[in-house]
Amino acid sequence: MDVIGKIIATEKQPSTIEDFTFWTKSDLKLKPFDVVAVEHIQNSKTFGVVEEISHMTDSPSALAGFISSDFGDVDSQSYTDRIGMNYVKCKVVGNTEGMYIPVQEGKKVYLATEKEIMMALGLDQVKNPIPAGYIKMYEGKNEQILPVHFNSHFLIGPEGAHLNISGISGLASKTSYAMFLMKAI
Protein backbone atom coordinates (compact mmCIF):
# COMPACT_ATOMS: atom_id res chain seq x y z
CA MET A 1 0.00 0.00 0.00
CA ASP A 2 1.01 3.61 -0.54
CA VAL A 3 1.94 5.94 2.30
CA ILE A 4 -1.01 8.25 3.02
CA GLY A 5 0.56 10.39 5.77
CA LYS A 6 2.83 10.60 8.78
CA ILE A 7 2.25 10.66 12.53
CA ILE A 8 2.08 14.05 14.27
CA ALA A 9 2.98 14.11 17.97
CA THR A 10 3.06 17.62 19.45
CA GLU A 11 3.36 19.05 22.93
CA LYS A 12 -0.36 19.85 23.01
CA GLN A 13 -1.52 16.76 21.10
CA PRO A 14 0.79 13.81 21.84
CA SER A 15 0.32 10.24 20.65
CA THR A 16 -1.00 8.02 23.44
CA ILE A 17 -1.72 4.32 23.89
CA GLU A 18 -5.34 5.16 23.05
CA ASP A 19 -5.09 7.50 20.06
CA PHE A 20 -2.84 9.17 17.52
CA THR A 21 -2.97 11.92 14.91
CA PHE A 22 -1.46 12.08 11.41
CA TRP A 23 -1.38 14.48 8.48
CA THR A 24 -2.55 13.30 5.07
CA LYS A 25 -2.16 14.11 1.42
CA SER A 26 -4.51 16.98 0.58
CA ASP A 27 -6.52 14.97 -1.96
CA LEU A 28 -6.91 11.81 0.14
CA LYS A 29 -10.50 10.67 0.74
CA LEU A 30 -10.97 9.05 4.15
CA LYS A 31 -14.15 8.41 6.09
CA PRO A 32 -14.88 7.93 9.77
CA PHE A 33 -14.43 4.25 10.74
CA ASP A 34 -11.83 3.53 8.02
CA VAL A 35 -8.90 1.48 9.36
CA VAL A 36 -5.27 2.60 8.97
CA ALA A 37 -1.97 0.85 9.75
CA VAL A 38 1.09 2.58 11.24
CA GLU A 39 4.70 1.39 11.34
CA HIS A 40 5.67 0.71 14.94
CA ILE A 41 8.59 -0.63 16.96
CA GLN A 42 10.10 -4.09 16.46
CA ASN A 43 8.53 -4.44 13.00
CA SER A 44 5.00 -4.38 14.43
CA LYS A 45 2.06 -2.39 13.11
CA THR A 46 -0.49 -0.47 15.13
CA PHE A 47 -4.03 -0.20 13.78
CA GLY A 48 -6.29 2.81 14.20
CA VAL A 49 -9.91 3.57 13.35
CA VAL A 50 -10.53 7.05 11.93
CA GLU A 51 -12.56 9.16 14.37
CA GLU A 52 -12.15 12.74 13.20
CA ILE A 53 -10.89 14.46 10.04
CA SER A 54 -9.94 18.15 10.25
CA HIS A 55 -8.37 20.91 8.19
CA MET A 56 -6.13 23.59 9.69
CA THR A 57 -4.47 26.70 8.22
CA ASP A 58 -1.91 29.22 9.43
CA SER A 59 -4.72 31.67 10.27
CA PRO A 60 -4.47 32.63 13.94
CA SER A 61 -8.25 33.07 14.32
CA ALA A 62 -11.59 33.13 12.54
CA LEU A 63 -11.45 36.95 12.66
CA ALA A 64 -8.16 36.92 10.73
CA GLY A 65 -9.81 34.80 8.04
CA PHE A 66 -12.73 37.22 7.87
CA ILE A 67 -10.43 40.26 7.62
CA SER A 68 -8.21 38.64 4.96
CA SER A 69 -11.35 38.12 2.85
CA ASP A 70 -11.68 41.89 2.43
CA PHE A 71 -13.70 42.12 5.64
CA GLY A 72 -16.20 39.41 4.73
CA ASP A 73 -16.51 39.84 0.98
CA VAL A 74 -17.27 36.30 -0.20
CA ASP A 75 -16.30 37.21 -3.78
CA SER A 76 -12.84 38.52 -2.88
CA GLN A 77 -9.85 36.72 -4.40
CA SER A 78 -6.74 36.07 -2.33
CA TYR A 79 -3.35 36.77 -3.89
CA THR A 80 -1.82 33.81 -2.05
CA ASP A 81 -3.38 30.72 -0.55
CA ARG A 82 -3.04 30.09 3.17
CA ILE A 83 -0.78 27.26 4.25
CA GLY A 84 -3.04 24.42 5.29
CA MET A 85 -3.16 20.72 6.01
CA ASN A 86 -5.62 17.92 6.64
CA TYR A 87 -5.11 15.84 9.74
CA VAL A 88 -6.82 12.76 11.09
CA LYS A 89 -7.41 11.58 14.66
CA CYS A 90 -7.57 7.81 15.16
CA LYS A 91 -8.47 5.49 18.02
CA VAL A 92 -5.96 2.66 18.54
CA VAL A 93 -7.63 -0.75 18.12
CA GLY A 94 -4.66 -3.10 18.16
CA ASN A 95 -1.08 -3.99 17.37
CA THR A 96 0.24 -7.03 15.51
CA GLU A 97 2.58 -7.92 18.39
CA GLY A 98 0.42 -6.76 21.32
CA MET A 99 2.62 -3.69 21.96
CA TYR A 100 0.69 -0.84 23.48
CA ILE A 101 3.05 2.09 23.59
CA PRO A 102 2.38 5.31 21.65
CA VAL A 103 3.28 5.40 17.96
CA GLN A 104 6.23 7.69 17.31
CA GLU A 105 6.41 11.05 15.51
CA GLY A 106 7.05 10.79 11.78
CA LYS A 107 6.10 7.12 11.37
CA LYS A 108 4.43 6.28 8.06
CA VAL A 109 0.68 5.66 7.89
CA TYR A 110 -0.95 3.36 5.31
CA LEU A 111 -4.46 2.26 4.40
CA ALA A 112 -4.83 -1.16 6.02
CA THR A 113 -4.95 -4.21 3.76
CA GLU A 114 -7.93 -6.59 3.83
CA LYS A 115 -6.07 -8.97 6.16
CA GLU A 116 -5.06 -6.08 8.46
CA ILE A 117 -8.64 -4.75 8.62
CA MET A 118 -9.94 -8.19 9.56
CA MET A 119 -7.25 -8.50 12.26
CA ALA A 120 -7.78 -4.95 13.61
CA LEU A 121 -11.55 -5.41 13.96
CA GLY A 122 -11.30 -8.97 15.29
CA LEU A 123 -13.21 -10.34 12.31
CA ASP A 124 -10.55 -13.01 11.72
CA GLN A 125 -11.25 -14.55 15.16
CA VAL A 126 -14.99 -15.25 14.80
CA LYS A 127 -15.81 -18.88 15.65
CA ASN A 128 -18.94 -20.69 14.39
CA PRO A 129 -19.48 -17.99 11.72
CA ILE A 130 -22.76 -17.14 10.05
CA PRO A 131 -22.98 -14.33 7.47
CA ALA A 132 -23.96 -10.97 8.97
CA GLY A 133 -23.27 -8.58 6.09
CA TYR A 134 -20.43 -6.52 4.65
CA ILE A 135 -18.41 -3.45 5.56
CA LYS A 136 -16.98 -1.03 3.03
CA MET A 137 -13.63 0.67 3.57
CA TYR A 138 -12.11 3.59 1.67
CA GLU A 139 -13.15 5.39 -1.48
CA GLY A 140 -12.21 5.09 -5.14
CA LYS A 141 -9.43 2.79 -6.34
CA ASN A 142 -8.62 1.66 -2.78
CA GLU A 143 -12.19 0.58 -1.96
CA GLN A 144 -12.47 -2.72 -0.12
CA ILE A 145 -15.64 -4.65 0.70
CA LEU A 146 -15.20 -7.22 3.46
CA PRO A 147 -17.55 -9.92 4.78
CA VAL A 148 -18.68 -9.76 8.40
CA HIS A 149 -19.73 -12.84 10.36
CA PHE A 150 -21.43 -13.35 13.74
CA ASN A 151 -20.60 -16.19 16.09
CA SER A 152 -23.76 -18.31 15.77
CA HIS A 153 -23.44 -19.51 19.38
CA PHE A 154 -23.92 -15.93 20.58
CA LEU A 155 -26.95 -15.43 18.34
CA ILE A 156 -28.88 -18.72 18.68
CA GLY A 157 -26.64 -21.08 20.64
CA PRO A 158 -26.04 -21.77 24.32
CA GLU A 159 -24.57 -18.29 24.90
CA GLY A 160 -27.32 -16.60 22.86
CA ALA A 161 -29.34 -13.74 24.27
CA HIS A 162 -30.83 -11.30 21.79
CA LEU A 163 -30.00 -9.15 18.77
CA ASN A 164 -31.00 -5.51 18.48
CA ILE A 165 -31.58 -4.24 14.93
CA SER A 166 -32.20 -0.51 14.84
CA GLY A 167 -32.79 2.02 12.10
CA ILE A 168 -35.22 4.52 10.63
CA SER A 169 -38.86 3.48 10.89
CA GLY A 170 -40.79 2.50 7.77
CA LEU A 171 -37.97 1.60 5.38
CA ALA A 172 -38.31 -2.20 5.73
CA SER A 173 -34.55 -2.43 6.12
CA LYS A 174 -34.74 -3.82 9.67
CA THR A 175 -37.24 -6.43 8.55
CA SER A 176 -35.15 -7.28 5.50
CA TYR A 177 -32.04 -7.68 7.64
CA ALA A 178 -33.89 -9.90 10.12
CA MET A 179 -35.06 -12.07 7.20
CA PHE A 180 -31.49 -12.21 5.86
CA LEU A 181 -30.21 -13.41 9.26
CA MET A 182 -32.95 -16.03 9.60
CA LYS A 183 -32.07 -17.32 6.14
CA ALA A 184 -28.36 -17.39 7.10
CA ILE A 185 -29.19 -19.42 10.22
Side-chain angles (χ1 to χ4, degrees):
M1 280 279 175
D2 296 333
V3 177
I4 61 167
K6 287 189 176 183
I7 296 294
I8 304 167
T10 66
E11 184 178 334
K12 292 184 179 177
Q13 193 171 23
S15 292
T16 70
I17 62 171
E18 295 180 348
D19 53 38
F20 60 85
T21 306
F22 67 95
W23 58 260
T24 69
K25 297 177 179 180
S26 60
D27 62 345
L28 180 69
K29 292 181 183 178
L30 278 178
K31 302 182 309 272
F33 307 112
D34 281 348
V35 177
V36 296
V38 182
E39 295 175 341
H40 205 31
I41 62 171
Q42 298 177 359
N43 294 322
S44 70
K45 288 185 183 176
T46 291
F47 303 115
V49 173
V50 173
E51 283 192 328
E52 192 176 311
I53 304 167
S54 303
H55 180 76
M56 173 176 37
T57 69
D58 61 344
S59 178
S61 69
L63 183 59
F66 174 80
I67 292 169
S68 68
S69 293
D70 208 11
F71 292 91
D73 180 2
V74 295
D75 294 321
S76 70
Q77 295 291 325
S78 177
Y79 294 111
T80 58
D81 291 333
R82 288 203 173 273
I83 297 170
M85 63 175 243
N86 294 341
Y87 64 101
V88 179
K89 184 175 182 180
C90 289
K91 184 62 76 180
V92 172
V93 292
N95 178 280
T96 56
E97 304 300 323
M99 292 186 200
Y100 291 95
I101 63 169
V103 292
Q104 306 298 301
E105 164 73 29
K107 292 292 186 179
K108 294 177 182 176
V109 180
Y110 304 85
L111 295 177
T113 64
E114 179 178 339
K115 183 179 176 184
E116 291 170 338
I117 294 167
M118 299 294 274
M119 183 187 313
L121 300 179
L123 298 174
D124 61 340
Q125 302 295 318
V126 176
K127 295 177 181 157
N128 311 304
I130 60 169
Y134 293 90
I135 56 173
K136 181 175 146 182
M137 292 279 160
Y138 318 132
E139 295 270 332
K141 68 176 180 130
N142 296 313
E143 179 178 287
Q144 293 189 40
I145 299 175
L146 304 144
V148 176
H149 295 90
F150 287 153
N151 183 332
S152 62
H153 288 199
F154 295 134
L155 188 59
I156 59 169
E159 293 90 9
H162 71 276
L163 173 71
N164 182 18
I165 303 171
S166 61
I168 297 172
S169 180
L171 299 179
S173 57
K174 296 179 298 297
T175 303
S176 296
Y177 187 67
M179 296 300 288
F180 165 81
L181 278 179
M182 286 191 272
K183 193 92 166 157
I185 293 169

